[in-house]
Amino acid sequence: DVKVTQSSRYLVKRTGEKVFLECVQDMDHENMFWYRQDPGLGLRLIYFSYDVKMKEKGDIPEGYSVSREKKERFSLILESASTNQTSMYLCASSLRPALSPTQYFGPGTRLLVL
Amino acid sequence: QKEVEQDPGPLSVPEGAIVSLNCTYSNSAFQYFMWYRQYSRKGPELLMYTYSSGNKEDGRFTAQVDKSSKYISLFIRDSQPSDSATYLCAIGISSGSARQLTFGSGTQLTVLP
């Protein structure tokens, strides 16, 4: 079974703090993704990575950065947290498109920024 | 216009009912079609996927794709309270890009015992 784990289920941070969200997958997947999920807006792609040290912006990259130093680990960084970044953050991984489009999700991190 | 539109719900049905969940999409280049199920406070999990027009059945679930109308549906027969969840359609292009999938906003389903 594919397993995608996220470092925290719940986080509470203050405005202006730097926030790190960690994601680890154990299936040697090439691709990793960070989404945020908000009521009525669905899943919105923040960033994705198709290889170690490679990344591409998604639909809403502003205020976020990412790091992928190892194949199994993909980190999302909020440089200076703001209240409008309160959300559910979901990490996913997949094989390269030629093999399978299926994305496997972690359990999510609920972030509250006060 | 969003690339993928999904009926937002919420949808509430009695146990045993047939449920129909729907999405429309605008990009005719989309090639594969998925349904994910997301229980409360959990990550989405893949329920079904298909590449072609027509129906695909898996137990009580049937995925239907009509590429000419750019319309996809998920039918749940004999719905159970355990089917209560948010259902997300996801549509993608098989290309060199890793980006792959565009998600609908999700339909929240409650099956009442």
Side-chain angles (χ1 to χ4, degrees):
Chain A
D1 269 358
V2 175
K3 192 156 187 186
V4 180
T5 56
Q6 295 183 229
S7 51
S8 305
R9 294 301 305 274
Y10 300 95
L11 273 181
V12 180
K13 297 292 180 181
R14 297 222 172 262
T15 302
E17 280 192 76
K18 191 169 186 175
V19 182
F20 293 86
L21 302 181
E22 300 281 329
C23 176
V24 177
Q25 50 95 3
D26 67 357
M27 283 302 292
D28 201 35
H29 284 172
E30 289 84 359
N31 303 325
M32 296 188 76
F33 307 82
W34 275 107
Y35 294 89
R36 64 178 282 178
Q37 185 176 33
D38 301 287
L41 297 177
L43 286 169
R44 292 182 291 167
L45 183 64
I46 304 171
Y47 268 97
F48 65 99
S49 168
Y50 51 92
D51 203 349
V52 175
K53 297 191 188 294
M54 306 303 288
K55 61 186 179 186
E56 282 195 32
K57 293 179 180 179
D59 297 319
I60 51 164
E62 297 79 19
Y64 303 95
S65 61
V66 290
S67 172
R68 191 164 180 205
E69 297 295 319
K70 293 185 177 181
K71 191 175 185 181
E72 68 272 16
R73 189 178 297 269
F74 192 34
S75 301
L76 180 70
I77 302 145
L78 286 65
E79 297 291 343
S80 177
S82 62
T83 54
N84 63 13
Q85 292 178 311
T86 291
S87 187
M88 168 76 134
Y89 289 88
L90 287 159
C91 175
S93 72
S94 74
L95 292 167
R96 60 184 185 273
L99 291 178
S100 172
T102 304
Q103 292 185 16
Y104 297 88
F105 285 85
T109 296
R110 287 192 175 272
L111 173 66
L112 174 62
V113 182
L114 299 173
Chain B
Q1 182 189 8
K2 289 184 183 178
E3 281 197 295
V4 180
E5 299 269 6
Q6 183 171 3
D7 291 343
L11 188 59
S12 185
V13 300
E15 185 174 353
I18 296 174
V19 176
S20 171
L21 306 167
N22 308 295
C23 287
T24 58
Y25 61 95
S26 57
N27 187 347
S28 57
F30 283 133
Q31 296 170 293
Y32 48 83
F33 311 89
M34 298 180 169
W35 287 95
Y36 281 78
R37 178 175 61 195
Q38 185 177 20
Y39 289 116
S40 181
R41 304 190 182 280
K42 297 282 180 69
E45 56 179 348
L46 181 69
L47 196 56
M48 296 186 73
Y49 89 86
T50 181
Y51 286 94
S52 56
S53 279
N55 293 352
K56 181 177 180 180
E57 203 169 304
D58 183 1
R60 295 184 296 110
F61 298 89
T62 299
Q64 186 177 80
V65 175
D66 182 347
K67 287 188 178 179
S68 61
S69 301
K70 300 191 187 70
Y71 192 88
I72 68 170
S73 299
L74 178 71
F75 297 97
I76 307 174
R77 290 186 301 280
D78 187 26
S79 56
Q80 303 295 308
S82 58
D83 296 327
S84 298
T86 296
Y87 290 80
L88 299 151
C89 62
I91 306 181
I93 297 174
S94 182
S95 70
S97 169
R99 185 201 165 114
Q100 297 177 320
L101 296 179
T102 301
F103 287 85
S105 56
T107 301
Q108 187 178 343
L109 171 68
T110 301
V111 181
L112 301 169

